[in-house]
Amino acid sequence: MPLEPETLGKTLSERLTLHSTLCRREARAFQQAIRSGDDVVVACTQEKRLFSELAQETPDATSPIRFVNIRETGGWSRDASRAMPKIAALLAAARLPEPEPVATVSYASRGRVLVVGPLDAAESVAACLSETMEITIFSRGPGSTMDVGSRSGNDGGGGAQERRWPVLAGRIDALTGWLGAFKLAWTRDNPIDLDLCTRCNACVVACPEQAIGLDYQIDMGRCRSHRDCERACTAAGAIDFQRAPATFDDAYDLVLDLGDAPLIEWHAPPQGYFHLPGGMADARATRTLLRLGDLVGEFEKPKFFDYRQKLCAHSRNEVVGCRACIDVCSAHAVTGDAPRQRIVVNPNLCVGCGACTTVCPTGALAYTYPRAPDQGRRLRTLLATYAQAGGRDGTLLLHSQEGGQALVERLGREAQLGRAQGVPAHVLPIGLWHAASTGIDLWLSAVAFGASQVVVLSTGEEAPQYLSALRQQMDIAQTVLRGLGYGGTHFRLIEAATTDALDGALAGLRDTRQQVPAVAARFAVGADKRTTLELALDHLVEAAPALKAGTAGAPAIALPAGAPFGSIDVDKNACTLCLACVSACPASALQDNPNAPQLRFIEKNCVQCGLCATTCPEDAISLVPRLNVSPERKQPVLLNEARPWSCIRCAKPFGTQKAIEAMLGKLAGHAMFQGEALERLKMCSDCRVIDLYSATNEVKIDLQ
């Protein structure tokens, strides 16, 4: 792997010494460095464990240690000789301070395991877990070897005669929860009570229809009510055809589901739930049982999100607007709470994909692992260092820290062996907790910082709705750049599950050229998504090739549906200026005028949530997704106004002429609004009360 210490040191403003065997013969140099107290960056991840152990054994070692992979990500590639700018950028990013700690979510598991499935398979699994876990079996049939045509099945299938674990059976109504807090709602609806059953098999032998299998439950579809089994079970009293179904709610810490169809069919099931349809015959059995064994005790995970209800566009007055986060979540962690004008995110179910924050138009949901400012600092450092070192056309490759990183590293090893081209010199890999955790605020900021392209790698581990969301967000961002005159394709989603597919896709990036701003932006990414978007757009608009003559009178850029920018159209003939839309708008894009009946609009604030259109009683509002690049988008504009209605008694204006006339037209035929009652509708609230109490022809009821 070619390295140029002088070139790298000059870019990083420090003196660098090249070490080739730092973890072996030159280990003393590492020990000396970590005694300095300064931050130490080790450009090797292969021996991370060895370096960590060496640090623990080194007296007076006080330096924080960080690791970065420059070998598979750049040094081992066909154009490694041109990778110095990228290596300098990766080293610079590794020197950044660690992000601030985030809040955590706690789990507690005592090892109470519910095993659901055929009785023989469940007992086989239970035998492997019983020494360290508390097992309960929910039987769903005798077993896979049971002869369908002969439920007596003494020649195979079913449970053992020795009952070593509690066995339940019946109908599962619901399974909810997460690690340490699963709830099973079930109904015992079979005549045989397994708590009383002694497994003597007398009922199996006595049943003339062979409707009882070795799961000791009666197949009611085959039973002809001879009651021979009930008479055979007189001693134990386990069979009672008159017993009413009973419902139960049980608690468990872990669930192992052996059924063919999963009880929880989610792309991201709750932590602590495992689906193993083949039982011990499944190739994943050993690994799954080991993972179950590790999930006893107390655990923590990051709380991946922050939620600010005041920014949320989900609902107003129980009218639902934006559902983007609810629809995209594959872990079913996000639910709507329209009566309280909010969403609810269950931190125990959240797996940290971040897709909800990516599609959130307002920034009410923000990703925290890491937070946007930390991520933005990382992107800006990478791109600035890359450019300073002479790099050109820098491309960011965003990938997950698990499947994506493993695939990138495999590609590097294949390139070192001459079997692949490897990661190109202009492609800067960036590991994320999940590939879907970034969106247009960071992508457009990256282009403003000088990135030629932003590429997101999908390895097949992502939920389908995540890929759809990423494509939609990329379409919006690309439409913005195309409308501003930046040529090329700046955003790409690469779907690759093999090194060959990834190698081919990355090789195709070598020949692409994109237009970017001539001068890189210097703004800092903030915690507020809309503020960051405005900063990025301001920089991109200022340098836009299509607007070099100035933005005055520049046409608005039409955007795809679902874009977080836009305007609204108001049908002035239908609008009565009731201003229900103003109270429904969560972003203060729609405003009234306290001095006149007017409806005003600030386009910069609009998030296209649709609450105004849904709330409008006259259906007078429609959404117009677009980006207005003129300065007027930040100023209030008048959408509609009307003549005020003056009180017929005191002449004080209290509504619009159109609204009052519409109300009079609708109520004129009502029995309650005839004569003077109809006239009072033309009065302000004060005069209406005065007129009501001063009327001489009204019937008054004295309650005293």
Side-chain angles (χ1 to χ4, degrees):
M1 178 175 67
L3 287 174
E4 300 173 8
E6 293 184 5
T7 303
L8 295 174
K10 183 178 180 180
T11 303
L12 300 173
S13 301
E14 63 177 290
R15 182 179 179 181
L16 296 180
T17 302
L18 180 62
H19 297 278
S20 56
T21 55
L22 192 63
C23 57
R24 298 291 188 265
R25 292 195 304 269
E26 298 174 287
R28 288 187 179 181
F30 169 72
Q31 292 178 302
Q32 182 178 353
I34 61 177
R35 290 192 185 102
S36 66
D38 298 329
D39 289 1
V40 173
V41 176
V42 179
C44 175
T45 54
Q46 175 180 302
E47 301 297 339
K48 180 178 180 179
R49 178 178 177 180
L50 177 60
F51 281 118
S52 300
E53 292 175 350
L54 190 59
Q56 293 177 357
E57 298 171 359
T58 302
D60 303 322
T62 58
S63 295
I65 305 173
R66 300 188 183 92
F67 296 89
V68 59
N69 185 345
I70 63 171
R71 188 175 68 177
E72 283 86 355
T73 58
W76 282 356
S77 67
R78 185 167 297 181
D79 53 1
S81 60
R82 301 193 300 273
M84 290 309 108
K86 172 167 69 172
I87 293 175
L90 295 175
L91 292 173
R95 295 192 307 180
L96 291 172
E98 292 292 333
E100 290 294 322
V102 302
T104 57
V105 181
S106 299
Y107 299 87
S109 168
R110 301 201 303 261
R112 300 171 300 170
V113 183
L114 175 68
V115 181
V116 182
L119 189 54
D120 60 346
E123 288 186 341
S124 177
V125 168
C128 299
L129 298 172
S130 58
E131 291 188 7
T132 57
M133 325 264 307
E134 179 184 331
I135 310 296
T136 299
I137 293 175
F138 197 101
S139 173
R140 308 200 84 178
S144 58
T145 58
M146 185 70 183
D147 182 7
V148 176
S150 174
R151 281 185 58 86
S152 62
N154 292 326
D155 57 343
Q161 291 302 296
E162 177 187 2
R163 183 166 56 187
R164 299 173 57 188
W165 307 280
V167 179
L168 312 176
R171 182 183 71 245
I172 294 179
D173 300 317
L175 175 64
T176 59
W178 50 83
L179 175 64
F182 283 102
K183 300 295 183 184
L184 176 72
W186 64 285
T187 300
R188 186 175 61 199
D189 57 357
N190 200 273
I192 298 182
D193 185 342
L194 291 179
D195 285 336
L196 301 176
C197 176
T198 62
R199 299 191 181 185
C200 68
N201 294 335
C203 61
V204 177
V205 175
C207 179
E209 294 92 7
Q210 298 182 346
I212 304 175
L214 291 181
D215 58 342
Y216 305 104
Q217 293 286 276
I218 300 175
D219 183 349
M220 300 305 296
R222 303 179 64 175
C223 177
R224 296 295 178 264
S225 301
H226 293 98
R227 303 297 191 264
D228 292 354
C229 58
E230 190 172 5
R231 289 187 289 272
C233 193
T234 303
I239 304 179
D240 183 358
F241 281 86
Q242 304 305 315
R243 184 187 297 113
T247 59
F248 301 89
D249 291 296
D250 298 334
Y252 300 95
D253 299 313
L254 299 154
V255 177
L256 178 58
D257 183 0
L258 306 179
D260 292 335
L263 292 170
I264 301 179
E265 197 169 3
W266 302 348
H267 184 274
Q271 294 196 58
Y273 171 86
F274 299 89
H275 183 222
L276 195 66
M280 292 304 296
D282 195 299
R284 301 166 298 166
T286 301
R287 183 177 59 183
T288 301
L289 297 186
L290 289 174
R291 290 176 63 191
L292 277 167
D294 289 338
L295 291 177
V296 179
E298 296 183 358
F299 307 92
E300 287 185 344
K301 73 172 183 181
K303 181 174 175 285
F304 293 102
F305 63 92
D306 278 336
Y307 176 60
R308 289 181 287 175
Q309 182 178 351
K310 68 178 182 179
L311 298 179
C312 185
H314 172 60
S315 59
R316 288 293 185 275
N317 303 320
E318 299 193 26
V319 175
V320 176
C322 178
R323 287 180 45 91
C325 57
I326 299 172
D327 294 337
V328 81
C329 181
S330 72
H332 294 242
V334 187
T335 54
D337 187 2
R340 298 186 181 182
Q341 301 184 166
R342 65 177 186 177
I343 59 158
V344 177
V345 186
N346 188 326
N348 296 99
L349 291 177
C350 175
V351 296
C353 65
C356 58
T357 66
T358 296
V359 300
C360 178
T362 66
L365 275 172
Y367 198 67
T368 64
Y369 198 69
R371 294 180 174 87
D374 296 315
Q375 198 70 279
R377 187 182 306 114
R378 187 182 181 191
L379 299 182
R380 191 173 61 176
T381 299
L382 276 167
L383 292 166
T385 307
Y386 178 78
Q388 182 183 348
R392 299 181 60 185
D393 301 323
T395 294
L396 301 180
L397 175 62
L398 308 180
H399 59 78
S400 68
Q401 291 178 351
E402 293 186 358
Q405 182 167 315
L407 185 61
V408 169
E409 291 179 353
R410 286 202 304 271
L411 177 61
R413 292 191 289 272
E414 289 291 302
Q416 196 269 340
L417 296 173
R419 301 171 181 168
Q421 299 183 62
V423 182
H426 72 289
V427 175
L428 289 71
I430 301 176
L432 308 172
W433 179 263
H434 195 284
S437 62
T438 61
I440 60 174
D441 53 333
L442 287 172
W443 299 344
L444 288 175
S445 295
V447 174
F449 293 150
S452 174
Q453 283 185 302
V454 177
V455 177
V456 178
L457 171 61
S458 164
T459 59
E461 57 189 336
E462 300 82 8
Q465 61 265 39
Y466 294 171
L467 301 185
S468 298
L470 288 172
R471 292 190 189 96
Q472 181 191 41
Q473 296 295 308
M474 286 183 175
D475 188 22
I476 294 168
Q478 189 63 64
T479 303
V480 168
L481 292 183
R482 191 177 298 116
L484 293 175
Y486 293 102
T489 302
H490 299 79
F491 307 102
R492 293 177 182 267
L493 176 64
I494 291 179
E495 298 180 61
T498 64
T499 54
D500 287 342
L502 178 59
D503 196 38
L506 294 180
L509 300 177
R510 286 185 169 92
D511 300 326
T512 61
R513 292 292 180 269
Q514 284 67 233
Q515 283 183 280
V516 297
V519 178
R522 300 180 61 85
F523 66 84
V525 171
D528 184 81
K529 182 175 185 176
R530 298 292 294 192
T531 301
T532 298
L533 276 170
E534 287 301 316
L535 290 171
L537 288 172
D538 285 346
H539 183 81
L540 293 169
V541 168
E542 183 179 356
L547 305 175
K548 286 185 178 181
T551 59
I557 301 170
L559 297 179
F565 313 106
S567 180
I568 62 172
D569 274 342
V570 176
D571 184 348
K572 295 181 179 181
N573 293 325
C575 175
T576 61
L577 279 178
C578 67
L579 300 181
C581 55
V582 174
S583 62
C585 181
S588 299
L590 285 165
Q591 300 177 354
D592 62 353
N593 185 342
N595 301 315
Q598 293 181 338
L599 177 62
R600 300 188 295 180
F601 179 68
I602 301 178
E603 185 164 341
K604 177 181 77 71
N605 294 346
C606 182
V607 298
Q608 296 284 288
C609 65
L611 274 170
C612 56
T614 307
T615 301
C616 179
E618 287 87 20
D619 294 327
I621 297 177
S622 57
L623 302 179
V624 183
R626 70 178 194 180
L627 178 63
N628 184 356
V629 298
S630 66
E632 287 74 20
R633 68 185 296 264
K634 301 180 181 180
Q635 305 298 324
V637 296
L638 183 64
L639 293 183
N640 196 15
E641 62 180 340
R643 293 172 54 191
W645 176 278
S646 298
C647 174
I648 62 174
R649 198 170 190 271
C650 70
K652 180 176 70 175
F654 70 92
T656 67
Q657 184 172 341
K658 191 171 185 178
I660 300 300
E661 290 176 349
M663 179 176 62
L664 293 173
K666 291 179 180 179
L667 298 179
H670 197 284
M672 293 293 294
F673 296 97
Q674 300 298 316
E676 294 184 3
L678 186 65
E679 290 299 302
R680 290 192 189 102
L681 295 179
K682 304 176 184 179
M683 302 177 188
C684 66
S685 57
D686 293 336
C687 291
R688 199 175 302 144
V689 174
I690 294 172
D691 185 75
L692 182 64
Y693 276 90
S694 62
T696 59
N697 60 345
E698 297 284 348
V699 177
K700 298 180 175 61
I701 300 175
D702 192 349
L703 299 178
Q704 295 183 348

